[in-house]
Amino acid sequence: ASLLNRATGEVLATRSCLNPQRSYGADVISRIVACKEGRLGELCRLVRERVAEIIHAFSSEYPDKPEYLSVAGNTTMLHIFCGISPEGIGTYPFTPAFTERRDFDGASFGLPVSQVTVLPSAAAYIGSDITGGVYVSHMTRQSRPSVLMDIGTNGEIVLYTGSAGGMRLIAASAAAGPALEGANISCGTGGIPGAICRVGSSKDTPQILTYSTIGDLPPVGISGSGLVDLVAALLDMGVIDETGYMEDGSFSLCGAPQARGRQVSGVGGRLPRFEKIPHIELAQRDVREFQLAKSAIFSGLTSLLEQAGISIEDIEKIYIAGGLGYYLDTRNAVRTRLLPGVDSEKFCVLGNTSLAGAEACLSDSAALEQIADIARRCEVLDLNTLPHFSELFMENMRF
Protein backbone atom coordinates (compact mmCIF):
# COMPACT_ATOMS: atom_id res chain seq x y z
CA ALA A 1 0.00 0.00 0.00
CA SER A 2 1.05 3.58 -0.68
CA LEU A 3 -0.22 6.85 0.76
CA LEU A 4 -0.27 9.53 -1.94
CA ASN A 5 -0.64 13.26 -2.19
CA ARG A 6 -3.12 13.25 -5.09
CA ALA A 7 -2.25 16.78 -6.15
CA THR A 8 1.43 16.05 -6.71
CA GLY A 9 1.58 12.27 -7.03
CA GLU A 10 4.16 12.15 -4.24
CA VAL A 11 4.27 8.89 -2.29
CA LEU A 12 4.24 9.93 1.38
CA ALA A 13 4.51 6.48 2.95
CA THR A 14 4.36 2.79 2.10
CA ARG A 15 3.43 -0.36 3.99
CA SER A 16 3.29 -4.05 3.17
CA CYS A 17 2.20 -7.29 4.78
CA LEU A 18 1.59 -10.91 3.95
CA ASN A 19 -1.91 -11.78 2.79
CA PRO A 20 -3.91 -12.92 5.84
CA GLN A 21 -5.87 -15.25 3.54
CA ARG A 22 -2.81 -17.51 3.16
CA SER A 23 -4.27 -19.84 5.82
CA TYR A 24 -6.81 -20.80 3.13
CA GLY A 25 -4.12 -21.59 0.55
CA ALA A 26 -1.12 -20.11 -1.21
CA ASP A 27 -2.84 -19.70 -4.59
CA VAL A 28 -6.10 -18.31 -5.94
CA ILE A 29 -7.52 -21.73 -6.82
CA SER A 30 -7.37 -22.74 -3.14
CA ARG A 31 -9.22 -19.55 -2.21
CA ILE A 32 -11.85 -20.11 -4.92
CA VAL A 33 -12.42 -23.59 -3.47
CA ALA A 34 -12.76 -22.04 0.00
CA CYS A 35 -15.39 -19.65 -1.36
CA LYS A 36 -17.31 -22.58 -2.85
CA GLU A 37 -17.25 -24.15 0.61
CA GLY A 38 -18.92 -21.10 2.13
CA ARG A 39 -15.85 -19.15 3.28
CA LEU A 40 -16.30 -16.08 1.07
CA GLY A 41 -17.40 -13.91 4.00
CA GLU A 42 -14.36 -14.90 6.06
CA LEU A 43 -11.90 -14.33 3.20
CA CYS A 44 -13.50 -10.96 2.47
CA ARG A 45 -13.39 -9.93 6.12
CA LEU A 46 -9.71 -10.84 6.43
CA VAL A 47 -8.54 -8.72 3.54
CA ARG A 48 -10.78 -5.73 4.32
CA GLU A 49 -9.70 -5.69 7.96
CA ARG A 50 -6.04 -5.73 6.95
CA VAL A 51 -6.61 -2.91 4.48
CA ALA A 52 -8.39 -0.92 7.20
CA GLU A 53 -5.43 -1.48 9.55
CA ILE A 54 -3.05 -0.09 6.93
CA ILE A 55 -5.22 2.97 6.32
CA HIS A 56 -5.45 3.64 10.07
CA ALA A 57 -1.66 3.32 10.33
CA PHE A 58 -1.24 5.91 7.57
CA SER A 59 -3.75 8.18 9.32
CA SER A 60 -1.80 8.00 12.56
CA GLU A 61 1.29 9.33 10.77
CA TYR A 62 -0.39 12.07 8.73
CA PRO A 63 -3.12 14.42 9.97
CA ASP A 64 -5.23 14.45 6.79
CA LYS A 65 -7.72 11.61 6.52
CA PRO A 66 -7.33 9.57 3.31
CA GLU A 67 -10.38 10.05 1.09
CA TYR A 68 -9.88 7.75 -1.90
CA LEU A 69 -8.73 4.14 -2.15
CA SER A 70 -7.57 2.72 -5.48
CA VAL A 71 -7.31 -1.08 -5.59
CA ALA A 72 -5.46 -3.31 -8.06
CA GLY A 73 -4.96 -7.06 -7.97
CA ASN A 74 -5.68 -10.34 -9.67
CA THR A 75 -9.29 -10.90 -10.66
CA THR A 76 -9.99 -13.47 -7.93
CA MET A 77 -8.66 -11.21 -5.17
CA LEU A 78 -10.73 -8.29 -6.47
CA HIS A 79 -13.88 -10.42 -6.36
CA ILE A 80 -13.17 -11.49 -2.78
CA PHE A 81 -12.35 -7.92 -1.75
CA CYS A 82 -15.70 -6.80 -3.18
CA GLY A 83 -17.54 -9.64 -1.43
CA ILE A 84 -18.47 -11.24 -4.76
CA SER A 85 -17.96 -14.97 -5.24
CA PRO A 86 -15.14 -15.86 -7.67
CA GLU A 87 -16.52 -19.37 -8.24
CA GLY A 88 -16.99 -18.77 -11.99
CA ILE A 89 -13.26 -18.15 -12.33
CA GLY A 90 -12.41 -21.60 -11.03
CA THR A 91 -14.14 -23.74 -13.65
CA TYR A 92 -14.41 -23.70 -17.44
CA PRO A 93 -15.26 -21.41 -19.22
CA PHE A 94 -13.62 -19.31 -16.44
CA THR A 95 -16.20 -16.52 -16.29
CA PRO A 96 -15.67 -13.70 -13.77
CA ALA A 97 -18.68 -11.92 -12.30
CA PHE A 98 -17.15 -8.61 -13.39
CA THR A 99 -14.00 -7.21 -15.00
CA GLU A 100 -14.97 -3.55 -15.39
CA ARG A 101 -14.13 -0.72 -13.00
CA ARG A 102 -16.20 -0.73 -9.82
CA ASP A 103 -16.80 2.18 -7.42
CA PHE A 104 -18.03 1.76 -3.84
CA ASP A 105 -18.70 3.83 -0.77
CA GLY A 106 -15.87 3.18 1.69
CA ALA A 107 -18.21 2.84 4.67
CA SER A 108 -20.00 -0.06 2.98
CA PHE A 109 -16.69 -1.95 3.07
CA GLY A 110 -15.96 -0.93 6.65
CA LEU A 111 -13.07 1.22 5.42
CA PRO A 112 -12.22 4.73 6.67
CA VAL A 113 -12.29 6.33 3.18
CA SER A 114 -14.98 8.09 1.17
CA GLN A 115 -14.64 6.13 -2.07
CA VAL A 116 -13.16 2.81 -3.17
CA THR A 117 -12.29 2.30 -6.84
CA VAL A 118 -11.44 -1.19 -8.11
CA LEU A 119 -9.37 -1.02 -11.29
CA PRO A 120 -10.55 -2.83 -14.46
CA SER A 121 -9.31 -6.32 -15.34
CA ALA A 122 -9.15 -8.00 -18.75
CA ALA A 123 -10.25 -11.57 -17.99
CA ALA A 124 -10.50 -14.26 -15.31
CA TYR A 125 -6.73 -14.61 -15.00
CA ILE A 126 -5.59 -11.24 -16.35
CA GLY A 127 -6.38 -8.84 -13.52
CA SER A 128 -5.93 -5.13 -12.92
CA ASP A 129 -2.45 -5.86 -11.57
CA ILE A 130 -1.58 -6.70 -15.19
CA THR A 131 -3.59 -4.02 -17.00
CA GLY A 132 -2.11 -1.45 -14.62
CA GLY A 133 1.34 -2.94 -15.23
CA VAL A 134 0.98 -2.51 -18.99
CA TYR A 135 0.02 1.12 -18.38
CA VAL A 136 2.91 2.05 -16.09
CA SER A 137 5.48 0.22 -18.27
CA HIS A 138 4.57 2.49 -21.24
CA MET A 139 5.17 -0.54 -23.46
CA THR A 140 2.38 0.42 -25.87
CA ARG A 141 4.18 3.66 -26.69
CA GLN A 142 7.00 1.77 -28.39
CA SER A 143 7.11 1.02 -32.09
CA ARG A 144 8.74 -2.40 -31.68
CA PRO A 145 7.34 -5.47 -29.87
CA SER A 146 7.73 -5.76 -26.10
CA VAL A 147 6.66 -8.13 -23.32
CA LEU A 148 5.44 -7.71 -19.75
CA MET A 149 5.95 -10.73 -17.47
CA ASP A 150 4.47 -10.77 -13.98
CA ILE A 151 6.23 -13.67 -12.30
CA GLY A 152 4.20 -15.17 -9.48
CA THR A 153 1.68 -17.94 -8.75
CA ASN A 154 0.07 -17.21 -12.10
CA GLY A 155 2.75 -16.14 -14.54
CA GLU A 156 0.85 -13.51 -16.50
CA ILE A 157 2.43 -12.51 -19.80
CA VAL A 158 1.38 -9.71 -22.15
CA LEU A 159 2.87 -9.33 -25.63
CA TYR A 160 2.60 -5.99 -27.42
CA THR A 161 3.15 -6.64 -31.12
CA GLY A 162 4.37 -3.14 -32.03
CA SER A 163 3.31 -0.94 -34.92
CA ALA A 164 4.37 -3.45 -37.59
CA GLY A 165 2.30 -6.15 -35.88
CA GLY A 166 -0.90 -4.15 -35.65
CA MET A 167 -0.32 -2.87 -32.08
CA ARG A 168 -2.09 -5.89 -30.59
CA LEU A 169 -2.03 -6.80 -26.92
CA ILE A 170 -2.03 -10.59 -26.51
CA ALA A 171 -2.15 -11.95 -22.97
CA ALA A 172 -2.00 -15.33 -21.28
CA SER A 173 -1.77 -16.70 -17.77
CA ALA A 174 0.56 -19.63 -17.11
CA ALA A 175 -0.31 -21.72 -14.05
CA ALA A 176 3.14 -21.54 -12.50
CA GLY A 177 2.15 -22.49 -8.97
CA PRO A 178 3.39 -20.67 -5.87
CA ALA A 179 7.02 -21.90 -5.91
CA LEU A 180 8.38 -18.54 -7.09
CA GLU A 181 6.65 -16.85 -4.16
CA GLY A 182 8.27 -19.21 -1.67
CA ALA A 183 5.28 -21.53 -1.19
CA ASN A 184 5.34 -25.32 -1.75
CA ILE A 185 9.10 -25.09 -1.17
CA SER A 186 10.28 -26.98 1.93
CA CYS A 187 12.19 -23.98 3.33
CA GLY A 188 10.42 -21.32 1.28
CA THR A 189 9.03 -18.02 2.49
CA GLY A 190 7.60 -14.81 1.07
CA GLY A 191 9.60 -11.63 0.63
CA ILE A 192 9.73 -10.82 4.35
CA PRO A 193 12.60 -9.63 6.59
CA GLY A 194 15.12 -12.44 6.94
CA ALA A 195 14.16 -14.12 3.67
CA ILE A 196 17.18 -15.22 1.65
CA CYS A 197 16.86 -13.06 -1.45
CA ARG A 198 20.23 -13.57 -3.17
CA VAL A 199 22.62 -16.52 -3.46
CA GLY A 200 25.97 -16.60 -5.24
CA SER A 201 29.51 -17.92 -5.20
CA SER A 202 32.98 -16.49 -5.61
CA LYS A 203 35.75 -17.55 -7.96
CA ASP A 204 38.02 -18.28 -5.00
CA THR A 205 35.58 -20.63 -3.24
CA PRO A 206 33.06 -21.83 -5.85
CA GLN A 207 31.90 -24.70 -3.62
CA ILE A 208 30.89 -22.34 -0.79
CA LEU A 209 27.82 -20.26 -1.50
CA THR A 210 27.16 -16.84 -0.04
CA TYR A 211 23.68 -15.48 0.60
CA SER A 212 22.00 -12.23 1.58
CA THR A 213 18.76 -11.73 3.44
CA ILE A 214 16.16 -8.99 3.32
CA GLY A 215 17.09 -6.47 5.98
CA ASP A 216 20.41 -8.30 6.64
CA LEU A 217 18.63 -10.30 9.33
CA PRO A 218 19.14 -13.92 10.36
CA PRO A 219 17.74 -16.22 7.65
CA VAL A 220 14.20 -17.52 8.10
CA GLY A 221 13.71 -19.20 4.72
CA ILE A 222 14.35 -18.73 1.03
CA SER A 223 12.33 -16.40 -1.18
CA GLY A 224 11.55 -16.78 -4.89
CA SER A 225 14.54 -14.74 -6.05
CA GLY A 226 16.83 -16.66 -3.70
CA LEU A 227 15.44 -19.91 -5.11
CA VAL A 228 16.26 -18.82 -8.68
CA ASP A 229 19.81 -17.91 -7.60
CA LEU A 230 20.33 -21.15 -5.67
CA VAL A 231 19.14 -23.38 -8.51
CA ALA A 232 21.41 -21.52 -10.95
CA ALA A 233 24.39 -21.91 -8.60
CA LEU A 234 23.75 -25.64 -8.11
CA LEU A 235 23.48 -26.12 -11.87
CA ASP A 236 26.91 -24.49 -12.25
CA MET A 237 28.32 -26.66 -9.46
CA GLY A 238 26.92 -29.84 -11.01
CA VAL A 239 24.76 -30.60 -7.96
CA ILE A 240 21.68 -30.42 -10.24
CA ASP A 241 21.87 -31.89 -13.73
CA GLU A 242 19.99 -30.75 -16.84
CA THR A 243 17.02 -32.98 -16.02
CA GLY A 244 16.72 -31.51 -12.52
CA TYR A 245 18.08 -34.62 -10.79
CA MET A 246 20.08 -34.23 -7.55
CA GLU A 247 22.24 -37.24 -6.82
CA ASP A 248 22.44 -36.42 -3.09
CA GLY A 249 18.73 -35.70 -2.88
CA SER A 250 19.18 -32.31 -1.19
CA PHE A 251 21.60 -29.42 -0.65
CA SER A 252 22.02 -27.76 2.74
CA LEU A 253 22.67 -24.04 2.52
CA CYS A 254 22.82 -23.16 6.22
CA GLY A 255 21.81 -24.11 9.74
CA ALA A 256 22.98 -27.73 9.74
CA PRO A 257 26.16 -29.85 9.70
CA GLN A 258 27.84 -29.80 6.31
CA ALA A 259 25.91 -26.69 5.29
CA ARG A 260 27.74 -25.03 2.43
CA GLY A 261 26.74 -21.39 2.66
CA ARG A 262 27.64 -18.28 4.59
CA GLN A 263 25.77 -15.06 5.04
CA VAL A 264 27.00 -11.71 3.83
CA SER A 265 25.37 -8.31 3.96
CA GLY A 266 23.78 -6.70 0.95
CA VAL A 267 26.79 -4.43 0.56
CA GLY A 268 29.28 -7.27 0.62
CA GLY A 269 30.54 -7.06 4.21
CA ARG A 270 30.53 -10.10 6.46
CA LEU A 271 27.76 -10.29 9.01
CA PRO A 272 28.28 -11.61 12.52
CA ARG A 273 27.25 -15.21 13.09
CA PHE A 274 23.73 -15.68 14.37
CA GLU A 275 22.61 -18.31 16.81
CA LYS A 276 19.81 -20.76 16.06
CA ILE A 277 19.80 -20.40 12.29
CA PRO A 278 17.15 -22.79 10.97
CA HIS A 279 18.16 -25.60 8.67
CA ILE A 280 17.58 -24.28 5.16
CA GLU A 281 18.04 -26.72 2.33
CA LEU A 282 16.91 -27.35 -1.20
CA ALA A 283 15.30 -30.77 -1.62
CA GLN A 284 14.69 -32.77 -4.79
CA ARG A 285 10.97 -32.05 -4.68
CA ASP A 286 11.73 -28.31 -4.46
CA VAL A 287 13.68 -28.52 -7.71
CA ARG A 288 10.70 -30.24 -9.34
CA GLU A 289 8.35 -27.49 -8.10
CA PHE A 290 10.71 -24.90 -9.54
CA GLN A 291 10.86 -26.75 -12.86
CA LEU A 292 7.06 -26.76 -13.12
CA ALA A 293 6.94 -23.02 -12.45
CA LYS A 294 9.70 -21.97 -14.80
CA SER A 295 8.50 -24.24 -17.59
CA ALA A 296 4.96 -22.85 -17.39
CA ILE A 297 6.21 -19.27 -17.68
CA PHE A 298 8.82 -19.92 -20.38
CA SER A 299 6.36 -22.05 -22.40
CA GLY A 300 3.68 -19.39 -22.06
CA LEU A 301 5.99 -16.75 -23.49
CA THR A 302 7.06 -19.04 -26.33
CA SER A 303 3.41 -19.77 -27.17
CA LEU A 304 2.45 -16.09 -27.30
CA LEU A 305 5.36 -15.34 -29.64
CA GLU A 306 4.40 -18.26 -31.90
CA GLN A 307 0.77 -17.12 -32.04
CA ALA A 308 1.83 -13.60 -33.06
CA GLY A 309 4.50 -14.77 -35.51
CA ILE A 310 7.19 -12.84 -33.61
CA SER A 311 10.64 -14.16 -32.74
CA ILE A 312 12.29 -13.49 -29.39
CA GLU A 313 15.01 -11.54 -31.25
CA ASP A 314 12.33 -9.06 -32.40
CA ILE A 315 11.49 -8.08 -28.81
CA GLU A 316 12.74 -4.64 -27.81
CA LYS A 317 12.10 -4.90 -24.05
CA ILE A 318 11.05 -7.56 -21.56
CA TYR A 319 9.53 -5.89 -18.51
CA ILE A 320 9.65 -7.96 -15.31
CA ALA A 321 6.87 -7.18 -12.83
CA GLY A 322 5.82 -8.58 -9.47
CA GLY A 323 7.38 -8.66 -6.02
CA LEU A 324 9.96 -11.16 -7.22
CA GLY A 325 11.33 -8.54 -9.59
CA TYR A 326 12.86 -6.44 -6.81
CA TYR A 327 15.62 -8.99 -6.17
CA LEU A 328 15.57 -11.13 -9.34
CA ASP A 329 18.97 -11.62 -10.98
CA THR A 330 18.02 -11.87 -14.64
CA ARG A 331 21.28 -13.67 -15.47
CA ASN A 332 20.33 -16.50 -13.14
CA ALA A 333 16.77 -16.48 -14.44
CA VAL A 334 18.20 -17.01 -17.94
CA ARG A 335 20.56 -19.74 -16.62
CA THR A 336 17.59 -21.71 -15.28
CA ARG A 337 15.48 -21.00 -18.41
CA LEU A 338 12.88 -19.07 -16.47
CA LEU A 339 13.61 -16.19 -18.86
CA PRO A 340 14.79 -16.35 -22.48
CA GLY A 341 18.45 -15.94 -23.39
CA VAL A 342 18.44 -12.43 -24.83
CA ASP A 343 20.75 -9.42 -24.41
CA SER A 344 20.66 -8.43 -20.73
CA GLU A 345 19.93 -4.83 -21.72
CA LYS A 346 16.52 -5.93 -22.97
CA PHE A 347 15.40 -6.79 -19.43
CA CYS A 348 13.80 -4.02 -17.40
CA VAL A 349 12.85 -4.92 -13.82
CA LEU A 350 9.88 -2.79 -12.72
CA GLY A 351 8.92 -4.33 -9.38
CA ASN A 352 5.38 -3.89 -8.07
CA THR A 353 3.54 -2.54 -11.12
CA SER A 354 0.20 -3.49 -9.57
CA LEU A 355 0.75 -0.91 -6.85
CA ALA A 356 2.18 1.56 -9.36
CA GLY A 357 -0.98 1.27 -11.46
CA ALA A 358 -3.18 1.94 -8.44
CA GLU A 359 -1.03 4.95 -7.55
CA ALA A 360 -1.32 6.34 -11.07
CA CYS A 361 -5.11 6.28 -10.89
CA LEU A 362 -5.07 8.48 -7.79
CA SER A 363 -2.86 11.20 -9.25
CA ASP A 364 -3.61 11.11 -13.01
CA SER A 365 -7.20 11.61 -14.12
CA ALA A 366 -6.53 9.95 -17.49
CA ALA A 367 -4.90 6.81 -16.08
CA LEU A 368 -8.09 4.97 -15.18
CA GLU A 369 -9.60 5.31 -18.64
CA GLN A 370 -6.34 4.29 -20.31
CA ILE A 371 -6.13 1.16 -18.12
CA ALA A 372 -9.74 0.40 -19.05
CA ASP A 373 -8.78 0.74 -22.72
CA ILE A 374 -5.86 -1.67 -22.20
CA ALA A 375 -8.26 -4.16 -20.58
CA ARG A 376 -10.63 -3.93 -23.56
CA ARG A 377 -7.83 -4.39 -26.08
CA CYS A 378 -6.29 -7.49 -24.49
CA GLU A 379 -6.74 -10.66 -26.55
CA VAL A 380 -6.54 -13.43 -23.97
CA LEU A 381 -5.27 -16.87 -24.99
CA ASP A 382 -6.05 -20.08 -23.14
CA LEU A 383 -2.67 -21.82 -23.28
CA ASN A 384 -4.16 -25.25 -22.62
CA THR A 385 -6.08 -25.09 -25.90
CA LEU A 386 -2.98 -24.46 -28.01
CA PRO A 387 -1.89 -27.58 -29.93
CA HIS A 388 1.80 -27.56 -28.98
CA PHE A 389 1.69 -26.19 -25.44
CA SER A 390 1.95 -29.58 -23.71
CA GLU A 391 4.99 -30.47 -25.82
CA LEU A 392 6.59 -27.12 -25.07
CA PHE A 393 5.89 -27.58 -21.36
CA MET A 394 7.62 -30.96 -21.22
CA GLU A 395 10.57 -29.73 -23.28
CA ASN A 396 11.09 -26.65 -21.10
CA MET A 397 11.15 -28.64 -17.87
CA ARG A 398 14.82 -29.29 -18.64
CA PHE A 399 17.59 -26.92 -17.68
Side-chain angles (χ1 to χ4, degrees), residues 156-180:
E156 295 97 341
I157 308 160
V158 182
L159 169 65
Y160 173 64
T161 61
S163 54
M167 296 186 290
R168 298 166 65 194
L169 284 169
I170 310 174
S173 176
L180 296 173

Side-chain angles (χ1 to χ4, degrees), residues 185-187 222 230 250-254 279-283 286:
I185 301 298
S186 54
C187 295
I222 189 162
L230 180 55
S250 65
F251 180 91
S252 294
L253 184 64
C254 62
H279 180 205
I280 296 174
E281 68 172 12
L282 188 75
D286 299 329

Side-chain angles (χ1 to χ4, degrees), residues 231-254:
V231 171
L234 297 184
L235 285 167
D236 289 342
M237 292 166 61
V239 174
I240 299 174
D241 71 14
E242 66 177 14
T243 70
Y245 175 68
M246 301 174 74
E247 185 174 356
D248 293 338
S250 65
F251 180 91
S252 294
L253 184 64
C254 62

Side-chain angles (χ1 to χ4, degrees), residues 52-390:
E53 288 173 12
I54 291 173
I55 296 172
H56 283 303
F58 283 147
S59 298
S60 68
E61 298 172 12
Y62 292 87
D64 293 334
K65 175 181 175 291
E67 292 188 29
Y68 296 92
L69 175 65
S70 175
V71 184
N74 68 58
T75 313
T76 297
M77 281 297 301
L78 296 181
H79 277 60
I80 295 172
F81 177 72
C82 293
I84 298 171
S85 176
E87 291 181 44
I89 297 173
T91 55
Y92 188 82
F94 312 116
T95 306
F98 72 95
T99 55
E100 72 280 3
R101 163 188 175 172
R102 289 280 178 105
D103 293 301
F104 301 91
D105 177 79
S108 68
F109 278 20
L111 299 175
V113 292
S114 300
Q115 180 177 313
V116 177
T117 298
V118 175
L119 274 59
S121 302
Y125 291 101
I126 305 293
S128 60
D129 50 346
I130 307 305
T131 56
V134 171
Y135 173 77
V136 299
S137 72
H138 304 305
M139 61 192 289
T140 57
R141 298 181 185 178
Q142 298 182 19
S143 59
R144 295 186 60 191
S146 57
V147 172
L148 174 74
M149 302 178 72
D150 191 303
I151 301 175
T153 303
N154 287 310
E156 295 97 341
I157 308 160
V158 182
L159 169 65
Y160 173 64
T161 61
S163 54
M167 296 186 290
R168 298 166 65 194
L169 284 169
I170 310 174
S173 176
L180 296 173
E181 295 184 337
N184 286 4
I185 301 298
S186 54
C187 295
T189 186
I192 61 175
I196 293 173
C197 56
R198 292 192 177 94
V199 178
S201 62
S202 67
K203 293 181 180 179
D204 297 333
T205 56
Q207 297 302 308
I208 299 177
L209 299 182
T210 58
Y211 58 89
S212 300
T213 61
I214 296 175
D216 290 341
L217 296 172
V220 297
I222 189 162
S223 70
S225 61
L227 177 64
V228 173
D229 287 352
L230 180 55
V231 171
L234 297 184
L235 285 167
D236 289 342
M237 292 166 61
V239 174
I240 299 174
D241 71 14
E242 66 177 14
T243 70
Y245 175 68
M246 301 174 74
E247 185 174 356
D248 293 338
S250 65
F251 180 91
S252 294
L253 184 64
C254 62
Q258 301 177 330
R260 295 160 70 182
R262 62 185 179 212
Q263 189 173 10
V264 296
S265 74
V267 294
R270 187 71 60 80
L271 284 177
R273 292 185 178 275
F274 294 102
E275 296 181 0
K276 298 180 180 179
I277 291 177
H279 180 205
I280 296 174
E281 68 172 12
L282 188 75
Q284 180 68 75
R285 72 173 185 86
D286 299 329
V287 178
R288 298 304 185 203
E289 288 284 342
F290 177 81
Q291 286 178 277
L292 292 169
K294 68 100 177 179
S295 180
I297 292 168
F298 195 94
S299 302
L301 172 61
T302 304
S303 296
L304 284 184
L305 293 172
E306 286 183 352
Q307 289 293 306
I310 294 174
S311 71
I312 191 64
E313 290 76 20
D314 294 330
I315 300 299
E316 177 74 15
K317 285 286 183 183
I318 298 178
Y319 298 98
I320 309 298
L324 177 66
Y326 281 120
Y327 296 100
L328 183 68
D329 186 321
T330 56
R331 296 168 300 178
N332 288 333
V334 170
R335 175 68 180 89
T336 62
R337 296 189 75 211
L338 169 63
L339 296 179
V342 298
D343 189 329
S344 61
E345 293 184 356
K346 290 190 174 185
F347 292 113
C348 182
V349 176
L350 300 178
N352 192 343
T353 55
S354 177
L355 182 61
E359 292 172 354
C361 291
L362 288 176
S363 58
D364 181 353
S365 58
L368 196 54
E369 184 49 45
Q370 290 185 47
I371 291 173
D373 181 62
I374 289 167
R376 287 189 292 267
R377 288 173 57 193
C378 274
E379 307 168 35
V380 181
L381 293 181
D382 181 352
L383 295 175
N384 291 320
T385 65
L386 302 182
H388 302 300
F389 183 74
S390 295

